[in-house]
Amino acid sequence: MEIQDIIRPENKVYSTPELLDNVHMHYCPGCSHGVIHKLLAEVIAEMGLTEKTVGISPVGCAVFAYNYIDVDWVEAAHGRAPAVATAISRLWPEDVVFTYQGDGDMSAIGTAESIHAANRGENIVMVFVNNAIYGMTGGQMAPTTLVGQKTATTPYGRRVDLNGHPLEITNLMAILDGTCYVTRQSVHTPANVRKTKAALKKAFQNALDKKGTSVVEVVATCNSGWKMSPEKANEWMAEHMFAKYPLGDLKNE
Amino acid sequence: MKEEVRLMKGNEAIAHAAIRYGCDGYFGYPITPQSEVLETLEELMPWETTGMVVLQAESEVAAINMVYGGAASGKAVMTSSSSPGVSLKQEGISYIAAASLPALILNVMRGGPGLGTIQPSQADYFQATKGGGHGDYHLIVLAPSTVQEMVDFVGLGFDLAFKYTNPAMILADGIVGQMMEKVVLPAQRPRRTEEEIRKQCPWAADGRKDGRKRNVVTSLELESARMEVINHQLQARYREIEKNETRWEEIDVEDADYLIVAFGSIARICTKAKELAAEKGIKVGIVRPITLWPFPTEAIARAAKGKKGILCVELNAGQMIEDVRLAVHDSLPVEHFGRLGGIIPSPDEVVKALEEKIVK
Ligand SMILES: Cc1ncc(C[n+]2csc(CCOP(=O)(O)OP(=O)(O)O)c2C)c(N)n1
Ligand SMILES: [Mg+2]
């Protein structure tokens, strides 16, 4: 059999999502953001939401998400995506609005906006990419940095006496009456990628159904910030991150 | 709702004016002396009538970022606060200006710095007119001196903001916010339909309706050469606004020997002071800047011709006086008189200052 006989539409097993732009991404090779972008692009198109979705990109590595997923976007100030999303969701109730936030954005500078948007039960989706570090600014400590983890601002490892404890913001979100769905996923294996996609679908459906706030945390790698190969970063995440941030639903109403 | 004559506080009037203008959303956080804006809106429940969204945010930071989001989606949105709260809003205001979005921000100034006092002040003149947040940007700044102007400037502020896709600020003081006066409230304007919004704001991020190309609202541009172009575009717009929208009021400037320059409610005290001075044979004219940015530089230069001196009366330690001095280039003495800490000067005090500092 010739190769041309194999390359046929009916044999296709994978294609680039239609909403994912065919451009070079600025993410480091091995970074989780790209996979999560792909899933969002798939979910939005598959659910027929292209013409009613507004994404709010954060300040963080995902600031340029608007260059990659072909929906409307507003780029928010650091930490303020949930406030921006609140207004658009209230003013355009037919739209589905999602935020895309890092751990610094969600659980340091934007803690108030994140908690309060969720507590008001805004009909939005909050995608929370927890890579336990400030990727964008060169690998400083995040609230989610693990005890002992080395970063640019904890060069000898995070110490509880100096830096406090890793913050499980998603657990806080889960106890709020305004949230309807809070889950923690990852994208380091094909099976986990599929689970994350299902979680995103459920979250977007909740927003459509006006059930309140959905939070999808994705425990993620930052291999360049962690100074590891992509493969090693996945291993390190599974070994260390999941102990502090166990995968699964925290709330599903 | 038809046009209506009512007696009310400046802050209440703002709430009524916002609804009647057809404002789409208000986002605020309580702070004296302007909490009546949010309180009045909650009482009037416009979401039941015009469909306007009203939300008490968790902070001024959240409120201004809600305004940023609402404006980015093409809606006519506003916030209000007082000095310490307006300081918190500055990062958001800079983003709104950088992203070329229309929005209305009300600052009912109180005395500072710091937590300061809840009494009236005009000490945020620098903050409002010279930037406030980071970067090279300008707000269109309107200074009301009456409750009627509080009402009128909601409409004017939104109109200018949309005309130039640039945020506008009403810079009021605690006096005009708290004072009760007769006002004419305009008839209800319908809120724009979704079609009208899309036509007026083709750049709005409201979901790619009808499969149009995506809209992205951002203030980020890492490529210096392109960032410079964006800055030049902003500057060109500011020159346009300066050319078209500078507003001021002149009272008996022609046959005066001296000028008082004052804005906001203090200009009214100066009108009384002018009468008292006339009784003493001192002929004073008044220039009241209505837009603090763009500043009526040329109008003041013209009015100053042939005069013997200018007194700038402000509820601060001397802020607008810098712009007045720039306008007249040392061609005549320009002195400042102001009270600080929330004290409002009497007309007699103004006359005394005029005599001591200018007439001599
Ligand atoms: C007000 C403000 N403070 C600080 C910064 C600098 N800054 C940019 S990104 C960032 C951290 C982002 O980390 P995170 O939210 O975890 O996202 P990641 O890059 O890891 O995906 C910081 C501190 C900023 N842009 N604005
Ligand atoms: Mg991070």
Side-chain angles (χ1 to χ4, degrees), chain A residues 14 75 89 102 115 127 133 141 170 178 180 182 187 196 203-204 233 246 250:
Chain A
Y14 183 85
E75 199 291 303
S89 168
I115 292 275
V127 181
I133 206 160
M141 181 187 70
T170 309
C180 59
V182 180
V187 291
T196 301
F204 274 76
L250 288 90

Side-chain angles (χ1 to χ4, degrees), chain A residues 136-148:
Chain A
M136 180 79 162
T137 38
Q140 297 84 3
M141 181 187 70
T144 49
T145 295
L146 298 179
V147 174

Side-chain angles (χ1 to χ4, degrees), chain B residues 80-190:
Chain B
S80 69
S81 188
S82 179
S83 310
V86 177
S87 291
L88 272 180
K89 290 184 192 292
Q90 292 301 328
E91 184 202 32
I93 292 174
S94 171
Y95 272 65
I96 293 169
S100 291
L101 298 176
L104 184 63
I105 301 134
L106 166 69
N107 180 1
V108 182
M109 289 179 281
R110 57 189 252 180
L115 194 50
T117 167
I118 59 171
Q119 300 304 326
S121 165
Q122 295 180 319
D124 303 345
Y125 177 93
F126 282 155
Q127 185 195 57
T129 62
K130 309 294 177 199
H134 57 287
D136 273 323
Y137 75 91
H138 278 294
L139 305 176
I140 299 164
V141 184
L142 303 167
S145 69
T146 62
V147 175
Q148 187 64 52
E149 279 187 337
M150 289 284 258
V151 169
D152 297 344
F153 290 179
V154 169
L156 178 63
F158 268 126
D159 287 348
L160 293 176
F162 273 90
K163 180 173 176 194
Y164 295 98
T165 55
N166 198 76
M169 174 178 273
I170 300 177
L171 190 69
D173 51 60
I175 305 172
V176 83
Q178 291 296 326
M179 170 169 77
M180 285 185 100
E181 275 190 307
K182 189 181 93 171
V183 279
V184 182
L185 298 173
Q188 179 68 50
R189 254 176 53 155

Side-chain angles (χ1 to χ4, degrees), chain B residues 27-40:
Chain B
F27 306 89
Y29 187 81
I31 181 170
T32 308
Q34 63 76 54
S35 296
E36 296 89 350
V37 180
L38 175 57
E39 288 169 5
T40 306

Side-chain angles (χ1 to χ4, degrees), chain B residues 114-328:
Chain B
L115 194 50
T117 167
I118 59 171
Q119 300 304 326
S121 165
Q122 295 180 319
D124 303 345
Y125 177 93
F126 282 155
Q127 185 195 57
T129 62
K130 309 294 177 199
H134 57 287
D136 273 323
Y137 75 91
H138 278 294
L139 305 176
I140 299 164
V141 184
L142 303 167
S145 69
T146 62
V147 175
Q148 187 64 52
E149 279 187 337
M150 289 284 258
V151 169
D152 297 344
F153 290 179
V154 169
L156 178 63
F158 268 126
D159 287 348
L160 293 176
F162 273 90
K163 180 173 176 194
Y164 295 98
T165 55
N166 198 76
M169 174 178 273
I170 300 177
L171 190 69
D173 51 60
I175 305 172
V176 83
Q178 291 296 326
M179 170 169 77
M180 285 185 100
E181 275 190 307
K182 189 181 93 171
V183 279
V184 182
L185 298 173
Q188 179 68 50
R189 254 176 53 155
R191 287 172 55 232
R192 292 164 304 155
T193 63
E194 295 196 358
E195 286 65 38
E196 286 168 339
I197 290 174
R198 287 194 193 104
K199 207 155 159 238
Q200 186 179 20
C201 309
W203 41 262
D206 59 348
R208 291 177 47 200
K209 300 285 152 30
D210 307 321
R212 64 153 165 72
K213 283 172 88 173
R214 73 167 170 270
N215 282 334
V216 174
V217 175
T218 180
S219 60
L220 178 65
E221 179 50 72
L222 291 182
E223 187 66 55
S224 302
R226 268 185 259 153
M227 192 68 232
E228 189 177 46
V229 170
I230 292 170
N231 267 290
H232 281 314
Q233 286 165 348
L234 288 178
Q235 293 302 318
R237 177 191 306 152
Y238 300 145
R239 299 296 87 77
E240 194 68 11
I241 297 172
E242 283 172 339
K243 201 173 80 199
N244 301 335
E245 309 299 346
T246 309
R247 288 167 164 79
W248 70 96
E249 183 191 10
E250 293 181 11
I251 305 171
D252 296 337
V253 164
E254 288 292 292
D255 36 50
D257 293 322
Y258 304 96
L259 281 185
I260 287 179
V261 182
F263 68 95
S265 53
I266 299 313
R268 295 170 74 179
I269 292 170
C270 293
T271 313
K272 183 73 193 163
K274 169 188 168 317
E275 288 166 19
L276 297 178
E279 287 168 18
K280 296 183 167 193
I282 306 170
K283 287 205 286 183
V284 181
I286 295 177
V287 179
R288 175 174 76 94
I290 292 171
T291 51
L292 300 182
W293 194 90
F295 193 71
T297 306
E298 284 167 31
I300 288 173
R302 242 182 289 122
K305 287 238 165 67
K307 304 288 187 284
K308 295 178 189 163
I310 299 180
L311 186 70
C312 291
V313 185
E314 310 173 62
L315 284 186
N316 57 43
Q319 299 193 11
M320 180 188 63
I321 187 172
E322 294 192 0
D323 290 324
V324 175
R325 283 197 170 131
L326 277 174
V328 300

Side-chain angles (χ1 to χ4, degrees), chain A residues 40-94:
Chain A
L40 278 165
E42 283 179 355
V43 164
I44 294 166
E46 284 168 23
M47 294 179 73
L49 301 177
T50 308
E51 297 185 12
K52 42 162 63 183
T53 298
V54 181
I56 316 298
S57 74
V59 170
C61 281
V63 65
F64 284 126
Y66 55 72
N67 285 335
Y68 308 134
I69 304 176
D70 196 13
V71 294
D72 276 2
W73 286 92
V74 180
E75 199 291 303
H78 195 17
R80 317 304 171 205
V84 175
T86 293
I88 300 177
S89 168
R90 294 228 180 181
L91 290 159
W92 297 92
E94 303 298 314

